[in-house]
Amino acid sequence: MAALTPLFFLTLLCFFPCNNAHPFHRHSRTAHHNYRDALTKSILFFEGQRSGRLPSNQRMTWRRNSGLSDGAAMKVDLVGGYYDAGDNVKFGFPMAFTTTMLSWSVLEFGGLMKGELQNAKQAVRWATDYLLKATVHPDTIYVQVGDANKDHACWERPEDMDTPRSVFKVDKNNPGTEVAAETAAALAAASLVFRRSDPIYSKILVRRAMRVFEFADKYRGSYSTGLKKYVCPFYCSYSGYQDELLWGAAWLQRATKNPKYLNYIQVNGQTLGAGEFDNTFGWDNKHVGARILLSKAFLVQKMKSLHDYKGHADNFICSLIPGASFSSTKYTPGGLLFKMSDSNMQYVTSTSFLLLTYAKYLTSAHMVANCGGATITPKTLRSIAKKQVDYLLGDNPLKMSYMVGYGGRYPKRIHHRGSSLPSIEAHPAKIQCSAGFSVMNSAAPNPNLLIGAVVGGPDQNDRFPDQRSDYEQSEPATYTNAPLVGSLAYLAHSFGQL
């Protein structure tokens, strides 16, 4: 690799404001963002996405019970879980990824969350209780409740749903390796969250994770093949299932310490894509997350056999640094990482989390990232992550927060059925399937604040129209918030707000 030029370092200094944050050290200066407030709201958002029978301590009070007969079509209890975004379908693939990332947020930064830790763990458990139901039968996973095409033909509150609550599954005959392996990752990661506070529940989760991973690996095939007309184009798997197998094995290795998972990774890692240069981390592609996760085993736990994952993780870091070897990331004029026009903010939050997490691992090992002839310090990684989170919270050309309810200016017309229609309390009568479209197409602000929701975000030129019909920019999603929880906990702590 070519050495980096002095111009690169000048670019880096201009692009990212410096700070001297050790992973858990306080910044000497004060922040102009209330990261603690944003953390509280980012977790509260999940209560607005709940399906099922709501508990007595439900804080998002404009929501009511919904989907109470989910699973009845297959004679299985599938009540609960989360709606993934602004519609009323329960998609198992992104729900499992959301659960994995919420769990990882708690595992890395939960010790800093103080009073929010219980709320974060409840958000994880709302998901895992559902995933246990979805995997109750061996070699079968119920991966979706609701017909997405029919659901999208209506604009109605989840409490009023009258579209078919069809149930879709993967099994030996119609495999779904990516959704199965992601579900195994979620259960394994969550088992670590509850290991001390609820050891019995933790053991249930990890045993189920092992069983589900075995199913994923043994019966290989994409769920986008057998269930194409139901899961595509909504959550089609474009990256294949190799990334989920590596990711699932990495989480099981961390959760169980069973040598068989380390052996699986050593034997299969390269064929599963460990060294590929696909640097987009999200609900579809987990390669980068697996590389960062496995780098911890080498950096912190000194597993020499996983040495290569430090190099793989460094390559991801280099892809983010303007002017570095392998640099492949675009930024908006205002400085926002920009991967794609549809729901770009999910990549901002996932990347920021990985940067802070990798910085933590590097600091523990007294190491740096290597980009060609240059060294990139943990301090720089934290600066990049902070800049991205700050943009999301309002440091951008529009001076607008992309989190609902945070700051003085934020999106008012988010693409979200329950938020946009009057609540049951305000309007007890049923709102029929198509009646809601008059609201969807109006310019009126949403009557119910989905506090903490992070929308898809601005376009590549930092523009944001705040229109309900513009789902690419105005729709929130659980998998956008999940990694942000960890980043906000770190920032709130490091600025002395927790």
Side-chain angles (χ1 to χ4, degrees):
M1 294 183 202
L4 298 178
T5 64
L7 179 63
F8 160 68
F9 292 104
L10 188 61
T11 305
L12 187 60
L13 286 169
C14 295
F15 201 81
F16 304 121
C18 289
N19 67 51
N20 297 304
H22 182 272
F24 297 147
H25 282 192
R26 302 274 165 108
H27 291 245
S28 57
R29 54 199 172 76
T30 55
H32 68 281
H33 280 299
N34 188 336
Y35 299 116
R36 180 178 185 164
D37 181 49
L39 170 64
T40 298
K41 288 169 175 170
S42 71
I43 299 169
L44 178 59
F45 159 74
F46 288 94
E47 295 193 15
Q49 296 301 110
R50 284 172 168 172
S51 181
R53 191 172 298 282
L54 303 184
S56 57
N57 64 353
Q58 169 81 9
R59 296 174 296 166
M60 198 80 81
T61 53
W62 52 266
R63 283 293 324 282
R64 294 287 192 273
N65 297 338
S66 62
L68 298 182
S69 60
D70 281 0
M74 285 274 202
K75 296 186 169 51
V76 61
D77 175 10
L78 295 175
V79 176
Y82 289 114
Y83 303 115
D84 69 298
D87 55 27
N88 300 324
V89 183
K90 294 194 301 208
F91 293 100
F93 192 29
M95 197 194 307
F97 177 67
T98 294
T99 310
T100 311
M101 294 309 296
L102 257 181
S103 298
W104 201 2
S105 282
V106 172
L107 293 174
E108 297 299 344
F109 303 111
L112 314 179
M113 288 180 187
K114 301 286 176 62
E116 288 303 329
L117 179 58
Q118 274 312 108
N119 290 325
K121 287 168 82 169
Q122 282 181 350
V124 173
R125 188 158 185 154
W126 194 266
T128 50
D129 282 352
Y130 176 82
L131 293 177
L132 287 173
K133 292 178 175 185
T135 56
V136 69
H137 297 134
D139 296 338
T140 301
I141 304 179
Y142 298 98
V143 297
Q144 187 170 315
V145 181
D147 183 315
N149 289 299
K150 290 176 179 170
D151 177 271
H152 287 189
C154 292
W155 191 268
E156 60 186 355
R157 303 175 293 198
E159 295 84 358
D160 285 339
M161 270 189 298
D162 51 10
T163 51
R165 299 303 282 169
S166 312
V167 176
F168 303 98
K169 66 176 181 174
V170 297
D171 56 25
K172 295 180 193 178
N173 301 318
N174 292 290
T177 298
E178 59 277 90
V179 67
E182 182 60 68
T183 302
L187 294 167
S191 76
L192 292 165
V193 169
F194 298 105
R195 179 165 279 176
R196 287 185 184 159
S197 59
D198 194 339
I200 294 171
Y201 189 64
S202 174
K203 281 183 179 138
I204 291 168
L205 292 172
V206 78
R207 284 182 193 136
R208 186 67 58 83
M210 293 168 77
R211 188 179 90 189
V212 171
F213 184 79
E214 192 175 332
F215 163 66
D217 193 39
K218 186 174 178 182
Y219 301 100
R220 292 195 183 188
S222 174
Y223 95 134
S224 296
T225 303
L227 295 176
K228 186 169 187 176
K229 67 179 181 178
Y230 304 110
V231 303
C232 298
F234 314 102
Y235 291 102
C236 229
S237 176
Y238 298 101
S239 67
Y241 54 70
Q242 288 80 7
D243 52 308
E244 279 85 16
L245 285 172
L246 184 62
W247 173 243
W251 276 111
L252 277 159
Q253 191 278 322
R254 182 161 167 177
T256 67
K257 303 290 188 283
N258 188 322
K260 78 177 183 182
Y261 295 110
L262 180 59
N263 182 61
Y264 181 94
I265 292 159
Q266 289 166 335
V267 170
N268 299 296
Q270 289 311 304
T271 57
L272 295 177
E276 289 176 15
F277 290 101
D278 47 353
N279 292 316
T280 301
F281 179 55
W283 60 262
D284 184 28
N285 194 331
K286 322 296 161 46
H287 273 138
V288 177
R291 289 169 202 142
I292 299 286
L293 187 64
L294 289 168
S295 74
K296 181 186 183 182
F298 167 69
L299 290 166
V300 182
Q301 286 136 6
K302 310 299 180 195
M303 290 186 188
K304 298 286 188 266
S305 65
L306 296 177
H307 170 271
D308 287 353
Y309 287 91
K310 160 75 164 64
H312 298 328
D314 282 0
N315 288 342
F316 165 63
I317 297 305
C318 300
S319 79
L320 299 169
I321 309 284
S325 311
F326 305 134
S327 178
S328 61
T329 303
K330 295 185 175 69
Y331 291 86
T332 68
L336 184 72
L337 179 151
F338 197 84
K339 285 282 185 184
M340 55 190 71
S341 59
D342 188 355
S343 200
N344 179 64
M345 206 59 90
Q346 65 176 300
Y347 305 110
V348 174
T349 61
S350 62
T351 301
S352 299
F353 175 83
L354 291 182
L355 285 165
L356 291 173
T357 300
Y358 195 47
K360 181 183 167 186
Y361 299 164
L362 288 172
T363 302
S364 297
H366 305 289
M367 291 182 80
V368 295
N370 297 301
C371 288
T375 58
I376 308 297
T377 64
K379 179 177 80 174
T380 299
L381 303 190
R382 288 190 287 268
S383 295
I384 300 170
K386 178 181 179 295
K387 181 175 173 64
Q388 294 302 307
V389 174
D390 286 351
Y391 182 110
L392 186 158
L393 294 177
D395 289 7
N396 55 61
L398 296 181
K399 299 288 180 271
M400 171 177 203
S401 155
Y402 289 101
M403 176 186 284
V404 174
Y406 177 85
R409 186 174 181 222
Y410 49 80
K412 298 290 200 300
R413 299 167 194 85
I414 67 170
H415 184 93
H416 189 277
R417 288 155 174 76
S419 170
S420 69
L421 294 165
S423 67
I424 296 287
E425 185 176 17
H427 188 287
K430 181 182 169 96
I431 298 172
Q432 299 293 337
C433 165
S434 56
F437 281 108
S438 61
V439 172
M440 199 276 274
N441 294 318
S442 79
N446 288 14
N448 308 307
L449 275 191
L450 186 61
I451 293 171
V454 177
V455 296
D459 68 13
Q460 60 194 8
N461 296 306
D462 301 296
R463 295 174 304 206
F464 182 77
D466 196 11
Q467 291 173 343
R468 236 181 325 267
S469 58
D470 183 1
Y471 65 87
E472 291 191 344
Q473 291 180 256
S474 294
E475 189 168 17
T478 53
Y479 43 85
T480 302
N481 273 60
L484 183 61
V485 168
S487 299
L488 289 170
Y490 166 74
L491 289 166
H493 177 269
S494 64
F495 280 97
Q497 297 172 358
L498 283 169

